[in-house]
Amino acid sequence: MNDTEVPSMVQVHLSIRVLLTVLPSLIFLFINSIMLFALVRKPLFLESPRYILFGHLLLSDSLQLLLTMLLYIFALTMVRIITCICVIITQLAAITVKMSPINLAVMSLERYVAICFPLRHATIATSKVMRVAIAVMWTMASVDSFAQLFLFFSLSNRSLAAQQICKKRSVFQLPVYVILNR
């Protein structure tokens, strides 16, 4: 085996790893998009609080899968991207990771109200209340990321146009991020 065969073997191995991770992710994104399309097509689903929250869960999980798949491909292929774009992608991924448990808790709370207060459920859980709940969920999930973004833009002395490998640890290097993550 000569020196030119080793990089080609690494390329083949890398291509297989990317294919084995991207293909199932694309299948899940396709299934989620079909379910979202079915939810949006029926007016009854757009008015029911249960299905509004389920559609939001599908949308946020699809966004999470897309962003984490993108970050995985960036890390695996060691692509250098602009620091500002890397910060935005990593913080959006962090927000969507926090969104799923919050959304499931709100879905459970809505079902609790439906079971324990069946006569008042229609007045408590309206589509307007669910939209406000979704806005509150995004706000709750975003607080930590906005604090990190504020600290990054105010304390970081690196250029936002510099290209680097997109990893959270390489972007957020200051000791204050360790304290903030704890």
Side-chain angles (χ1 to χ4, degrees):
M1 193 186 305
N2 60 21
D3 290 338
T4 59
E5 290 178 16
V6 173
S8 66
M9 290 296 290
V10 170
Q11 286 283 23
V12 169
H13 181 62
L14 185 66
S15 299
I16 290 172
R17 282 180 75 180
V18 168
L19 181 71
L20 288 176
T21 55
V22 170
L23 193 61
S25 299
L26 290 176
I27 291 170
F28 281 118
L29 283 173
F30 179 71
I31 292 169
N32 282 358
S33 64
I34 289 173
M35 286 192 287
L36 270 172
F37 181 74
L39 283 172
V40 171
R41 295 280 295 169
K42 300 286 183 184
L44 175 67
F45 291 150
L46 294 176
E47 296 170 5
S48 175
R50 177 190 312 175
Y51 294 112
I52 290 171
L53 290 173
F54 179 65
H56 179 257
L57 181 68
L58 283 173
L59 185 67
S60 64
D61 284 351
S62 297
L63 186 61
Q64 176 188 0
L65 182 61
L66 186 69
L67 290 171
T68 53
M69 183 177 60
L70 189 65
L71 286 171
Y72 177 74
I73 291 171
F74 286 163
L76 196 62
T77 57
M78 304 292 249
V79 173
R80 294 183 165 276
I81 63 172
I82 299 172
T83 303
C84 186
I85 293 173
C86 178
V87 167
I88 291 170
I89 291 174
T90 55
Q91 291 308 310
L92 276 175
I95 290 170
T96 57
V97 165
K98 294 171 193 159
M99 182 60 65
S100 292
I102 296 172
N103 198 355
L104 289 172
V106 172
M107 288 173 79
S108 299
L109 183 63
E110 187 271 332
R111 288 290 82 203
Y112 173 79
V113 169
I115 292 169
C116 293
F117 307 106
L119 298 177
R120 296 191 310 178
H121 177 260
T123 58
I124 295 172
T126 62
S127 60
K128 184 179 179 181
V129 170
M130 290 304 118
R131 287 183 181 91
V132 170
I134 289 172
V136 169
M137 285 188 281
W138 277 98
T139 304
M140 286 176 54
S142 302
V143 168
D144 183 43
S145 294
F146 283 140
Q148 285 187 4
L149 282 174
F150 176 74
L151 287 173
F152 177 78
F153 288 120
S154 62
L155 298 177
S156 181
N157 56 2
R158 66 175 62 193
S159 171
L160 294 177
Q163 292 188 352
Q164 67 179 21
I165 296 171
C166 188
K167 292 182 181 178
K168 191 171 184 175
R169 287 191 181 127
S170 65
V171 175
F172 298 104
Q173 292 178 346
L174 296 176
V176 70
Y177 298 121
V178 176
I179 296 168
L180 191 62
N181 285 332
R182 285 186 190 158

